[in-house]
Amino acid sequence: CLEEENSDETECLILGKTARNDTQDIENADGTVAQAGDTIIYTLSTKNTSKGTEIKDYVVEENLIDVLQYADVVNLGGGKLDDYGVARWPATDINPGETLSRKIVIKIKNPIPSTPIS
């Protein structure tokens, strides 16, 4: 990571996303079935794995357009949702070895909307 002079500093970033079903008390909700009214907490993480390069003005963003078909945003923890369903947080610096986390809290609609058959 960043061993070459012309390297892209973003190659040192490791992105992750986890989901917790707070209503059903499921720590790792990946692969589980959410029910109408359930509250889901997504945690987005970005780790700077470089040895000495600070990543300046990094913007965390997440496209929620598919999620918004079945859920409403309850809290973006300082982020903002645009007209296209993309959540963005203010630019921030990430120090070497630091992990930046952002949370998205959504609530599954009740009733859950039916989807059209393709």
Side-chain angles (χ1 to χ4, degrees):
C1 182
L2 290 180
E3 291 179 7
E4 296 179 25
E5 202 171 296
N6 297 326
S7 293
D8 179 3
E9 64 185 17
T10 60
E11 72 184 27
C12 297
L13 299 177
I14 297 176
L15 309 178
K17 179 170 42 174
T18 61
R20 170 181 166 59
N21 187 320
D22 206 41
T23 305
Q24 296 183 37
D25 197 27
I26 300 172
E27 192 61 39
N28 181 359
D30 187 35
T32 65
V33 177
Q35 302 297 319
D38 282 2
T39 298
I40 310 296
I41 302 170
Y42 292 102
T43 301
L44 309 175
S45 61
T46 307
K47 181 173 184 169
N48 180 355
T49 62
S50 73
K51 303 266 188 273
T53 302
E54 178 183 39
I55 307 298
K56 298 256 187 215
D57 297 323
Y58 183 77
V59 176
V60 175
E61 56 183 39
E62 179 73 7
N63 188 329
L64 299 174
I65 197 70
D66 290 342
V67 172
L68 295 173
Q69 293 179 29
Y70 303 100
D72 297 311
V73 173
V74 174
N75 190 339
L76 288 175
K80 296 200 184 287
L81 192 64
D82 71 14
D83 293 338
Y84 303 101
V86 176
R88 284 188 186 82
W89 287 262
T92 194
D93 299 342
I94 310 174
N95 293 316
E98 182 180 26
T99 300
L100 178 67
S101 294
R102 298 291 183 252
K103 293 205 183 282
I104 301 169
V105 180
I106 58 117
K107 186 168 187 162
I108 306 298
K109 293 180 181 181
N110 191 359
I112 297 173
S114 59
T115 57
I117 299 173
S118 55

PDB file of all heavy atoms in Angstrom, residues 62-103:
ATOM      1  N   GLU A  62     -23.213   6.024   0.899  1.00  0.00           N
ATOM      2  CA  GLU A  62     -23.863   4.721   0.725  1.00  0.00           C
ATOM      3  C   GLU A  62     -25.158   4.928  -0.050  1.00  0.00           C
ATOM      4  O   GLU A  62     -25.983   5.768   0.303  1.00  0.00           O
ATOM      5  CB  GLU A  62     -24.161   4.093   2.093  1.00  0.00           C
ATOM      6  CG  GLU A  62     -24.846   2.763   2.041  1.00  0.00           C
ATOM      7  CD  GLU A  62     -23.953   1.620   1.590  1.00  0.00           C
ATOM      8  OE1 GLU A  62     -22.720   1.813   1.426  1.00  0.00           O
ATOM      9  OE2 GLU A  62     -24.480   0.513   1.398  1.00  0.00           O
ATOM     10  N   ASN A  63     -25.335   4.150  -1.117  1.00  0.00           N
ATOM     11  CA  ASN A  63     -26.551   4.224  -1.911  1.00  0.00           C
ATOM     12  C   ASN A  63     -27.635   3.384  -1.218  1.00  0.00           C
ATOM     13  O   ASN A  63     -27.490   2.177  -1.053  1.00  0.00           O
ATOM     14  CB  ASN A  63     -26.293   3.697  -3.320  1.00  0.00           C
ATOM     15  CG  ASN A  63     -27.463   3.925  -4.238  1.00  0.00           C
ATOM     16  OD1 ASN A  63     -28.618   3.932  -3.813  1.00  0.00           O
ATOM     17  ND2 ASN A  63     -27.177   4.117  -5.501  1.00  0.00           N
ATOM     18  N   LEU A  64     -28.714   4.051  -0.817  1.00  0.00           N
ATOM     19  CA  LEU A  64     -29.807   3.392  -0.090  1.00  0.00           C
ATOM     20  C   LEU A  64     -31.066   3.240  -0.923  1.00  0.00           C
ATOM     21  O   LEU A  64     -32.115   2.877  -0.390  1.00  0.00           O
ATOM     22  CB  LEU A  64     -30.138   4.195   1.177  1.00  0.00           C
ATOM     23  CG  LEU A  64     -29.027   4.338   2.196  1.00  0.00           C
ATOM     24  CD1 LEU A  64     -29.466   5.266   3.314  1.00  0.00           C
ATOM     25  CD2 LEU A  64     -28.634   2.983   2.749  1.00  0.00           C
ATOM     26  N   ILE A  65     -30.993   3.490  -2.222  1.00  0.00           N
ATOM     27  CA  ILE A  65     -32.204   3.513  -3.046  1.00  0.00           C
ATOM     28  C   ILE A  65     -32.995   2.204  -2.946  1.00  0.00           C
ATOM     29  O   ILE A  65     -34.222   2.234  -2.860  1.00  0.00           O
ATOM     30  CB  ILE A  65     -31.887   3.911  -4.511  1.00  0.00           C
ATOM     31  CG1 ILE A  65     -33.153   4.328  -5.241  1.00  0.00           C
ATOM     32  CG2 ILE A  65     -31.178   2.796  -5.243  1.00  0.00           C
ATOM     33  CD1 ILE A  65     -33.732   5.627  -4.786  1.00  0.00           C
ATOM     34  N   ASP A  66     -32.324   1.059  -2.934  1.00  0.00           N
ATOM     35  CA  ASP A  66     -33.028  -0.223  -2.811  1.00  0.00           C
ATOM     36  C   ASP A  66     -33.630  -0.392  -1.418  1.00  0.00           C
ATOM     37  O   ASP A  66     -34.741  -0.893  -1.271  1.00  0.00           O
ATOM     38  CB  ASP A  66     -32.091  -1.403  -3.107  1.00  0.00           C
ATOM     39  CG  ASP A  66     -31.705  -1.476  -4.573  1.00  0.00           C
ATOM     40  OD1 ASP A  66     -32.401  -0.866  -5.409  1.00  0.00           O
ATOM     41  OD2 ASP A  66     -30.703  -2.135  -4.885  1.00  0.00           O
ATOM     42  N   VAL A  67     -32.901   0.015  -0.398  1.00  0.00           N
ATOM     43  CA  VAL A  67     -33.379  -0.088   0.984  1.00  0.00           C
ATOM     44  C   VAL A  67     -34.627   0.758   1.189  1.00  0.00           C
ATOM     45  O   VAL A  67     -35.568   0.348   1.865  1.00  0.00           O
ATOM     46  CB  VAL A  67     -32.259   0.357   1.968  1.00  0.00           C
ATOM     47  CG1 VAL A  67     -32.774   0.444   3.385  1.00  0.00           C
ATOM     48  CG2 VAL A  67     -31.063  -0.582   1.880  1.00  0.00           C
ATOM     49  N   LEU A  68     -34.663   1.933   0.564  1.00  0.00           N
ATOM     50  CA  LEU A  68     -35.777   2.864   0.758  1.00  0.00           C
ATOM     51  C   LEU A  68     -37.093   2.357   0.174  1.00  0.00           C
ATOM     52  O   LEU A  68     -38.158   2.882   0.505  1.00  0.00           O
ATOM     53  CB  LEU A  68     -35.427   4.231   0.171  1.00  0.00           C
ATOM     54  CG  LEU A  68     -34.279   4.949   0.872  1.00  0.00           C
ATOM     55  CD1 LEU A  68     -33.891   6.216   0.117  1.00  0.00           C
ATOM     56  CD2 LEU A  68     -34.635   5.257   2.314  1.00  0.00           C
ATOM     57  N   GLN A  69     -37.035   1.315  -0.658  1.00  0.00           N
ATOM     58  CA  GLN A  69     -38.266   0.709  -1.161  1.00  0.00           C
ATOM     59  C   GLN A  69     -38.992  -0.044  -0.050  1.00  0.00           C
ATOM     60  O   GLN A  69     -40.209  -0.197  -0.100  1.00  0.00           O
ATOM     61  CB  GLN A  69     -37.958  -0.255  -2.305  1.00  0.00           C
ATOM     62  CG  GLN A  69     -37.428   0.434  -3.541  1.00  0.00           C
ATOM     63  CD  GLN A  69     -37.106  -0.567  -4.637  1.00  0.00           C
ATOM     64  OE1 GLN A  69     -37.718  -1.623  -4.733  1.00  0.00           O
ATOM     65  NE2 GLN A  69     -36.132  -0.230  -5.460  1.00  0.00           N
ATOM     66  N   TYR A  70     -38.246  -0.505   0.947  1.00  0.00           N
ATOM     67  CA  TYR A  70     -38.816  -1.356   1.996  1.00  0.00           C
ATOM     68  C   TYR A  70     -38.677  -0.781   3.402  1.00  0.00           C
ATOM     69  O   TYR A  70     -39.178  -1.363   4.350  1.00  0.00           O
ATOM     70  CB  TYR A  70     -38.128  -2.727   1.967  1.00  0.00           C
ATOM     71  CG  TYR A  70     -38.256  -3.394   0.628  1.00  0.00           C
ATOM     72  CD1 TYR A  70     -37.208  -3.367  -0.285  1.00  0.00           C
ATOM     73  CD2 TYR A  70     -39.441  -4.016   0.266  1.00  0.00           C
ATOM     74  CE1 TYR A  70     -37.338  -3.959  -1.534  1.00  0.00           C
ATOM     75  CE2 TYR A  70     -39.574  -4.608  -0.984  1.00  0.00           C
ATOM     76  CZ  TYR A  70     -38.516  -4.572  -1.867  1.00  0.00           C
ATOM     77  OH  TYR A  70     -38.652  -5.146  -3.103  1.00  0.00           O
ATOM     78  N   ALA A  71     -37.974   0.333   3.536  1.00  0.00           N
ATOM     79  CA  ALA A  71     -37.692   0.867   4.871  1.00  0.00           C
ATOM     80  C   ALA A  71     -37.599   2.387   4.840  1.00  0.00           C
ATOM     81  O   ALA A  71     -37.409   2.986   3.786  1.00  0.00           O
ATOM     82  CB  ALA A  71     -36.378   0.279   5.389  1.00  0.00           C
ATOM     83  N   ASP A  72     -37.716   2.965   6.017  1.00  0.00           N
ATOM     84  CA  ASP A  72     -37.544   4.401   6.194  1.00  0.00           C
ATOM     85  C   ASP A  72     -36.289   4.647   7.023  1.00  0.00           C
ATOM     86  O   ASP A  72     -36.005   3.893   7.954  1.00  0.00           O
ATOM     87  CB  ASP A  72     -38.752   4.999   6.927  1.00  0.00           C
ATOM     88  CG  ASP A  72     -40.035   4.858   6.132  1.00  0.00           C
ATOM     89  OD1 ASP A  72     -40.034   5.210   4.931  1.00  0.00           O
ATOM     90  OD2 ASP A  72     -41.040   4.387   6.705  1.00  0.00           O
ATOM     91  N   VAL A  73     -35.566   5.716   6.690  1.00  0.00           N
ATOM     92  CA  VAL A  73     -34.381   6.081   7.459  1.00  0.00           C
ATOM     93  C   VAL A  73     -34.838   6.720   8.763  1.00  0.00           C
ATOM     94  O   VAL A  73     -35.660   7.623   8.769  1.00  0.00           O
ATOM     95  CB  VAL A  73     -33.475   7.050   6.675  1.00  0.00           C
ATOM     96  CG1 VAL A  73     -32.338   7.557   7.541  1.00  0.00           C
ATOM     97  CG2 VAL A  73     -32.938   6.377   5.421  1.00  0.00           C
ATOM     98  N   VAL A  74     -34.299   6.215   9.876  1.00  0.00           N
ATOM     99  CA  VAL A  74     -34.597   6.749  11.198  1.00  0.00           C
ATOM    100  C   VAL A  74     -33.500   7.729  11.624  1.00  0.00           C
ATOM    101  O   VAL A  74     -33.778   8.778  12.190  1.00  0.00           O
ATOM    102  CB  VAL A  74     -34.740   5.608  12.235  1.00  0.00           C
ATOM    103  CG1 VAL A  74     -34.915   6.151  13.637  1.00  0.00           C
ATOM    104  CG2 VAL A  74     -35.888   4.684  11.851  1.00  0.00           C
ATOM    105  N   ASN A  75     -32.226   7.367  11.338  1.00  0.00           N
ATOM    106  CA  ASN A  75     -31.104   8.193  11.790  1.00  0.00           C
ATOM    107  C   ASN A  75     -29.896   7.923  10.897  1.00  0.00           C
ATOM    108  O   ASN A  75     -29.565   6.766  10.639  1.00  0.00           O
ATOM    109  CB  ASN A  75     -30.779   7.859  13.247  1.00  0.00           C
ATOM    110  CG  ASN A  75     -29.797   8.810  13.873  1.00  0.00           C
ATOM    111  OD1 ASN A  75     -29.040   9.497  13.206  1.00  0.00           O
ATOM    112  ND2 ASN A  75     -29.806   8.849  15.196  1.00  0.00           N
ATOM    113  N   LEU A  76     -29.249   8.997  10.476  1.00  0.00           N
ATOM    114  CA  LEU A  76     -28.024   8.877   9.686  1.00  0.00           C
ATOM    115  C   LEU A  76     -26.798   9.358  10.449  1.00  0.00           C
ATOM    116  O   LEU A  76     -25.725   9.502   9.875  1.00  0.00           O
ATOM    117  CB  LEU A  76     -28.145   9.661   8.368  1.00  0.00           C
ATOM    118  CG  LEU A  76     -29.055   9.064   7.315  1.00  0.00           C
ATOM    119  CD1 LEU A  76     -29.177  10.000   6.116  1.00  0.00           C
ATOM    120  CD2 LEU A  76     -28.564   7.698   6.870  1.00  0.00           C
ATOM    121  N   GLY A  77     -26.934   9.614  11.726  1.00  0.00           N
ATOM    122  CA  GLY A  77     -25.789   9.988  12.549  1.00  0.00           C
ATOM    123  C   GLY A  77     -24.945  11.103  11.974  1.00  0.00           C
ATOM    124  O   GLY A  77     -23.726  10.976  11.892  1.00  0.00           O
ATOM    125  N   GLY A  78     -25.576  12.180  11.541  1.00  0.00           N
ATOM    126  CA  GLY A  78     -24.842  13.315  10.998  1.00  0.00           C
ATOM    127  C   GLY A  78     -24.756  13.328   9.486  1.00  0.00           C
ATOM    128  O   GLY A  78     -24.285  14.300   8.901  1.00  0.00           O
ATOM    129  N   GLY A  79     -25.213  12.269   8.835  1.00  0.00           N
ATOM    130  CA  GLY A  79     -25.218  12.224   7.379  1.00  0.00           C
ATOM    131  C   GLY A  79     -26.485  12.844   6.820  1.00  0.00           C
ATOM    132  O   GLY A  79     -27.420  13.138   7.562  1.00  0.00           O
ATOM    133  N   LYS A  80     -26.500  13.025   5.523  1.00  0.00           N
ATOM    134  CA  LYS A  80     -27.668  13.576   4.845  1.00  0.00           C
ATOM    135  C   LYS A  80     -28.012  12.686   3.659  1.00  0.00           C
ATOM    136  O   LYS A  80     -27.126  12.146   3.002  1.00  0.00           O
ATOM    137  CB  LYS A  80     -27.396  14.989   4.371  1.00  0.00           C
ATOM    138  CG  LYS A  80     -27.149  15.960   5.505  1.00  0.00           C
ATOM    139  CD  LYS A  80     -27.357  17.382   5.056  1.00  0.00           C
ATOM    140  CE  LYS A  80     -27.014  18.371   6.135  1.00  0.00           C
ATOM    141  NZ  LYS A  80     -27.881  18.488   7.207  1.00  0.00           N
ATOM    142  N   LEU A  81     -29.310  12.559   3.393  1.00  0.00           N
ATOM    143  CA  LEU A  81     -29.811  11.755   2.283  1.00  0.00           C
ATOM    144  C   LEU A  81     -30.176  12.694   1.144  1.00  0.00           C
ATOM    145  O   LEU A  81     -30.927  13.657   1.345  1.00  0.00           O
ATOM    146  CB  LEU A  81     -31.036  10.964   2.743  1.00  0.00           C
ATOM    147  CG  LEU A  81     -31.555   9.868   1.839  1.00  0.00           C
ATOM    148  CD1 LEU A  81     -30.513   8.761   1.688  1.00  0.00           C
ATOM    149  CD2 LEU A  81     -32.843   9.291   2.399  1.00  0.00           C
ATOM    150  N   ASP A  82     -29.644  12.424  -0.067  1.00  0.00           N
ATOM    151  CA  ASP A  82     -29.982  13.285  -1.202  1.00  0.00           C
ATOM    152  C   ASP A  82     -31.226  12.769  -1.925  1.00  0.00           C
ATOM    153  O   ASP A  82     -31.812  11.759  -1.536  1.00  0.00           O
ATOM    154  CB  ASP A  82     -28.786  13.465  -2.146  1.00  0.00           C
ATOM    155  CG  ASP A  82     -28.423  12.215  -2.944  1.00  0.00           C
ATOM    156  OD1 ASP A  82     -29.222  11.252  -3.008  1.00  0.00           O
ATOM    157  OD2 ASP A  82     -27.313  12.197  -3.523  1.00  0.00           O
ATOM    158  N   ASP A  83     -31.627  13.475  -2.974  1.00  0.00           N
ATOM    159  CA  ASP A  83     -32.838  13.128  -3.725  1.00  0.00           C
ATOM    160  C   ASP A  83     -32.714  11.818  -4.489  1.00  0.00           C
ATOM    161  O   ASP A  83     -33.699  11.295  -4.992  1.00  0.00           O
ATOM    162  CB  ASP A  83     -33.187  14.249  -4.714  1.00  0.00           C
ATOM    163  CG  ASP A  83     -33.602  15.527  -4.008  1.00  0.00           C
ATOM    164  OD1 ASP A  83     -34.017  15.457  -2.825  1.00  0.00           O
ATOM    165  OD2 ASP A  83     -33.500  16.607  -4.632  1.00  0.00           O
ATOM    166  N   TYR A  84     -31.511  11.273  -4.601  1.00  0.00           N
ATOM    167  CA  TYR A  84     -31.269  10.034  -5.335  1.00  0.00           C
ATOM    168  C   TYR A  84     -31.086   8.833  -4.409  1.00  0.00           C
ATOM    169  O   TYR A  84     -30.701   7.756  -4.858  1.00  0.00           O
ATOM    170  CB  TYR A  84     -30.051  10.191  -6.249  1.00  0.00           C
ATOM    171  CG  TYR A  84     -30.214  11.347  -7.206  1.00  0.00           C
ATOM    172  CD1 TYR A  84     -29.588  12.559  -6.963  1.00  0.00           C
ATOM    173  CD2 TYR A  84     -31.038  11.238  -8.328  1.00  0.00           C
ATOM    174  CE1 TYR A  84     -29.759  13.631  -7.828  1.00  0.00           C
ATOM    175  CE2 TYR A  84     -31.216  12.304  -9.192  1.00  0.00           C
ATOM    176  CZ  TYR A  84     -30.576  13.501  -8.940  1.00  0.00           C
ATOM    177  OH  TYR A  84     -30.753  14.561  -9.787  1.00  0.00           O
ATOM    178  N   GLY A  85     -31.319   9.037  -3.118  1.00  0.00           N
ATOM    179  CA  GLY A  85     -31.205   7.941  -2.161  1.00  0.00           C
ATOM    180  C   GLY A  85     -29.792   7.643  -1.721  1.00  0.00           C
ATOM    181  O   GLY A  85     -29.518   6.560  -1.197  1.00  0.00           O
ATOM    182  N   VAL A  86     -28.875   8.589  -1.887  1.00  0.00           N
ATOM    183  CA  VAL A  86     -27.488   8.395  -1.473  1.00  0.00           C
ATOM    184  C   VAL A  86     -27.261   9.155  -0.167  1.00  0.00           C
ATOM    185  O   VAL A  86     -27.518  10.353  -0.085  1.00  0.00           O
ATOM    186  CB  VAL A  86     -26.493   8.874  -2.552  1.00  0.00           C
ATOM    187  CG1 VAL A  86     -25.056   8.756  -2.067  1.00  0.00           C
ATOM    188  CG2 VAL A  86     -26.691   8.082  -3.839  1.00  0.00           C
ATOM    189  N   ALA A  87     -26.788   8.425   0.846  1.00  0.00           N
ATOM    190  CA  ALA A  87     -26.444   9.039   2.129  1.00  0.00           C
ATOM    191  C   ALA A  87     -24.974   9.435   2.075  1.00  0.00           C
ATOM    192  O   ALA A  87     -24.132   8.660   1.620  1.00  0.00           O
ATOM    193  CB  ALA A  87     -26.679   8.065   3.271  1.00  0.00           C
ATOM    194  N   ARG A  88     -24.685  10.668   2.554  1.00  0.00           N
ATOM    195  CA  ARG A  88     -23.314  11.174   2.590  1.00  0.00           C
ATOM    196  C   ARG A  88     -23.050  11.830   3.931  1.00  0.00           C
ATOM    197  O   ARG A  88     -23.923  12.471   4.489  1.00  0.00           O
ATOM    198  CB  ARG A  88     -23.088  12.214   1.501  1.00  0.00           C
ATOM    199  CG  ARG A  88     -22.935  11.664   0.135  1.00  0.00           C
ATOM    200  CD  ARG A  88     -22.521  12.750  -0.872  1.00  0.00           C
ATOM    201  NE  ARG A  88     -22.515  12.202  -2.212  1.00  0.00           N
ATOM    202  CZ  ARG A  88     -23.592  12.063  -2.964  1.00  0.00           C
ATOM    203  NH1 ARG A  88     -24.756  12.455  -2.540  1.00  0.00           N
ATOM    204  NH2 ARG A  88     -23.491  11.531  -4.169  1.00  0.00           N
ATOM    205  N   TRP A  89     -21.801  11.677   4.387  1.00  0.00           N
ATOM    206  CA  TRP A  89     -21.364  12.309   5.624  1.00  0.00           C
ATOM    207  C   TRP A  89     -20.317  13.356   5.290  1.00  0.00           C
ATOM    208  O   TRP A  89     -19.620  13.225   4.277  1.00  0.00           O
ATOM    209  CB  TRP A  89     -20.808  11.256   6.577  1.00  0.00           C
ATOM    210  CG  TRP A  89     -21.880  10.405   7.166  1.00  0.00           C
ATOM    211  CD1 TRP A  89     -22.463  10.559   8.392  1.00  0.00           C
ATOM    212  CD2 TRP A  89     -22.525   9.276   6.567  1.00  0.00           C
ATOM    213  NE1 TRP A  89     -23.432   9.601   8.591  1.00  0.00           N
ATOM    214  CE2 TRP A  89     -23.491   8.799   7.479  1.00  0.00           C
ATOM    215  CE3 TRP A  89     -22.408   8.623   5.339  1.00  0.00           C
ATOM    216  CZ2 TRP A  89     -24.311   7.715   7.211  1.00  0.00           C
ATOM    217  CZ3 TRP A  89     -23.228   7.551   5.068  1.00  0.00           C
ATOM    218  CH2 TRP A  89     -24.166   7.099   6.010  1.00  0.00           C
ATOM    219  N   PRO A  90     -20.151  14.358   6.145  1.00  0.00           N
ATOM    220  CA  PRO A  90     -19.141  15.392   5.879  1.00  0.00           C
ATOM    221  C   PRO A  90     -17.742  14.792   5.722  1.00  0.00           C
ATOM    222  O   PRO A  90     -17.408  13.791   6.358  1.00  0.00           O
ATOM    223  CB  PRO A  90     -19.215  16.288   7.124  1.00  0.00           C
ATOM    224  CG  PRO A  90     -20.584  16.074   7.680  1.00  0.00           C
ATOM    225  CD  PRO A  90     -20.919  14.644   7.369  1.00  0.00           C
ATOM    226  N   ALA A  91     -16.944  15.440   4.876  1.00  0.00           N
ATOM    227  CA  ALA A  91     -15.567  14.988   4.639  1.00  0.00           C
ATOM    228  C   ALA A  91     -14.782  14.997   5.946  1.00  0.00           C
ATOM    229  O   ALA A  91     -14.954  15.873   6.784  1.00  0.00           O
ATOM    230  CB  ALA A  91     -14.895  15.895   3.616  1.00  0.00           C
ATOM    231  N   THR A  92     -13.952  13.972   6.100  1.00  0.00           N
ATOM    232  CA  THR A  92     -13.132  13.862   7.307  1.00  0.00           C
ATOM    233  C   THR A  92     -11.789  13.235   6.948  1.00  0.00           C
ATOM    234  O   THR A  92     -11.674  12.544   5.929  1.00  0.00           O
ATOM    235  CB  THR A  92     -13.866  13.041   8.389  1.00  0.00           C
ATOM    236  OG1 THR A  92     -13.237  13.216   9.630  1.00  0.00           O
ATOM    237  CG2 THR A  92     -13.901  11.572   8.059  1.00  0.00           C
ATOM    238  N   ASP A  93     -10.792  13.484   7.751  1.00  0.00           N
ATOM    239  CA  ASP A  93      -9.470  12.885   7.546  1.00  0.00           C
ATOM    240  C   ASP A  93      -9.404  11.553   8.295  1.00  0.00           C
ATOM    241  O   ASP A  93      -9.993  11.406   9.367  1.00  0.00           O
ATOM    242  CB  ASP A  93      -8.371  13.814   8.077  1.00  0.00           C
ATOM    243  CG  ASP A  93      -8.346  15.159   7.372  1.00  0.00           C
ATOM    244  OD1 ASP A  93      -8.923  15.274   6.270  1.00  0.00           O
ATOM    245  OD2 ASP A  93      -7.754  16.101   7.927  1.00  0.00           O
ATOM    246  N   ILE A  94      -8.677  10.590   7.702  1.00  0.00           N
ATOM    247  CA  ILE A  94      -8.489   9.287   8.352  1.00  0.00           C
ATOM    248  C   ILE A  94      -6.993   9.072   8.536  1.00  0.00           C
ATOM    249  O   ILE A  94      -6.242   8.954   7.563  1.00  0.00           O
ATOM    250  CB  ILE A  94      -9.084   8.127   7.529  1.00  0.00           C
ATOM    251  CG1 ILE A  94     -10.523   8.421   7.101  1.00  0.00           C
ATOM    252  CG2 ILE A  94      -9.028   6.828   8.327  1.00  0.00           C
ATOM    253  CD1 ILE A  94     -11.108   7.377   6.159  1.00  0.00           C
ATOM    254  N   ASN A  95      -6.548   9.015   9.773  1.00  0.00           N
ATOM    255  CA  ASN A  95      -5.135   8.807  10.088  1.00  0.00           C
ATOM    256  C   ASN A  95      -4.707   7.373   9.794  1.00  0.00           C
ATOM    257  O   ASN A  95      -5.546   6.467   9.761  1.00  0.00           O
ATOM    258  CB  ASN A  95      -4.876   9.112  11.565  1.00  0.00           C
ATOM    259  CG  ASN A  95      -5.072  10.579  11.879  1.00  0.00           C
ATOM    260  OD1 ASN A  95      -4.627  11.441  11.135  1.00  0.00           O
ATOM    261  ND2 ASN A  95      -5.746  10.864  12.981  1.00  0.00           N
ATOM    262  N   PRO A  96      -3.411   7.134   9.612  1.00  0.00           N
ATOM    263  CA  PRO A  96      -2.919   5.768   9.399  1.00  0.00           C
ATOM    264  C   PRO A  96      -3.351   4.857  10.546  1.00  0.00           C
ATOM    265  O   PRO A  96      -3.252   5.228  11.721  1.00  0.00           O
ATOM    266  CB  PRO A  96      -1.399   5.937   9.383  1.00  0.00           C
ATOM    267  CG  PRO A  96      -1.177   7.366   9.006  1.00  0.00           C
ATOM    268  CD  PRO A  96      -2.338   8.124   9.576  1.00  0.00           C
ATOM    269  N   GLY A  97      -3.869   3.688  10.214  1.00  0.00           N
ATOM    270  CA  GLY A  97      -4.304   2.718  11.211  1.00  0.00           C
ATOM    271  C   GLY A  97      -5.675   2.997  11.807  1.00  0.00           C
ATOM    272  O   GLY A  97      -6.196   2.180  12.548  1.00  0.00           O
ATOM    273  N   GLU A  98      -6.269   4.121  11.478  1.00  0.00           N
ATOM    274  CA  GLU A  98      -7.567   4.512  12.043  1.00  0.00           C
ATOM    275  C   GLU A  98      -8.717   3.903  11.247  1.00  0.00           C
ATOM    276  O   GLU A  98      -8.636   3.739  10.033  1.00  0.00           O
ATOM    277  CB  GLU A  98      -7.690   6.038  12.032  1.00  0.00           C
ATOM    278  CG  GLU A  98      -8.972   6.562  12.636  1.00  0.00           C
ATOM    279  CD  GLU A  98      -9.053   8.084  12.600  1.00  0.00           C
ATOM    280  OE1 GLU A  98      -8.432   8.717  11.742  1.00  0.00           O
ATOM    281  OE2 GLU A  98      -9.763   8.620  13.457  1.00  0.00           O
ATOM    282  N   THR A  99      -9.804   3.572  11.956  1.00  0.00           N
ATOM    283  CA  THR A  99     -11.031   3.107  11.322  1.00  0.00           C
ATOM    284  C   THR A  99     -12.127   4.120  11.582  1.00  0.00           C
ATOM    285  O   THR A  99     -12.395   4.482  12.726  1.00  0.00           O
ATOM    286  CB  THR A  99     -11.457   1.723  11.863  1.00  0.00           C
ATOM    287  OG1 THR A  99     -10.420   0.785  11.600  1.00  0.00           O
ATOM    288  CG2 THR A  99     -12.751   1.250  11.206  1.00  0.00           C
ATOM    289  N   LEU A 100     -12.739   4.569  10.514  1.00  0.00           N
ATOM    290  CA  LEU A 100     -13.835   5.525  10.563  1.00  0.00           C
ATOM    291  C   LEU A 100     -15.138   4.746  10.462  1.00  0.00           C
ATOM    292  O   LEU A 100     -15.270   3.876   9.599  1.00  0.00           O
ATOM    293  CB  LEU A 100     -13.694   6.483   9.378  1.00  0.00           C
ATOM    294  CG  LEU A 100     -14.729   7.555   9.178  1.00  0.00           C
ATOM    295  CD1 LEU A 100     -14.651   8.567  10.310  1.00  0.00           C
ATOM    296  CD2 LEU A 100     -14.502   8.239   7.838  1.00  0.00           C
ATOM    297  N   SER A 101     -16.111   5.017  11.339  1.00  0.00           N
ATOM    298  CA  SER A 101     -17.397   4.308  11.320  1.00  0.00           C
ATOM    299  C   SER A 101     -18.545   5.291  11.174  1.00  0.00           C
ATOM    300  O   SER A 101     -18.520   6.369  11.770  1.00  0.00           O
ATOM    301  CB  SER A 101     -17.592   3.503  12.603  1.00  0.00           C
ATOM    302  OG  SER A 101     -16.661   2.455  12.688  1.00  0.00           O
ATOM    303  N   ARG A 102     -19.550   4.901  10.399  1.00  0.00           N
ATOM    304  CA  ARG A 102     -20.778   5.668  10.239  1.00  0.00           C
ATOM    305  C   ARG A 102     -21.949   4.705  10.384  1.00  0.00           C
ATOM    306  O   ARG A 102     -21.887   3.570   9.913  1.00  0.00           O
ATOM    307  CB  ARG A 102     -20.839   6.348   8.868  1.00  0.00           C
ATOM    308  CG  ARG A 102     -19.728   7.350   8.635  1.00  0.00           C
ATOM    309  CD  ARG A 102     -19.890   8.572   9.529  1.00  0.00           C
ATOM    310  NE  ARG A 102     -18.900   9.587   9.296  1.00  0.00           N
ATOM    311  CZ  ARG A 102     -17.913   9.867  10.122  1.00  0.00           C
ATOM    312  NH1 ARG A 102     -17.760   9.177  11.240  1.00  0.00           N
ATOM    313  NH2 ARG A 102     -17.056  10.828   9.850  1.00  0.00           N
ATOM    314  N   LYS A 103     -23.004   5.160  11.054  1.00  0.00           N
ATOM    315  CA  LYS A 103     -24.168   4.304  11.297  1.00  0.00           C
ATOM    316  C   LYS A 103     -25.381   4.811  10.537  1.00  0.00           C
ATOM    317  O   LYS A 103     -25.588   6.013  10.392  1.00  0.00           O
ATOM    318  CB  LYS A 103     -24.487   4.243  12.772  1.00  0.00           C
ATOM    319  CG  LYS A 103     -23.400   3.533  13.570  1.00  0.00           C
ATOM    320  CD  LYS A 103     -23.940   2.941  14.842  1.00  0.00           C
ATOM    321  CE  LYS A 103     -22.851   2.303  15.657  1.00  0.00           C
ATOM    322  NZ  LYS A 103     -22.426   1.033  15.214  1.00  0.00           N
TER     323      LYS A 103
END
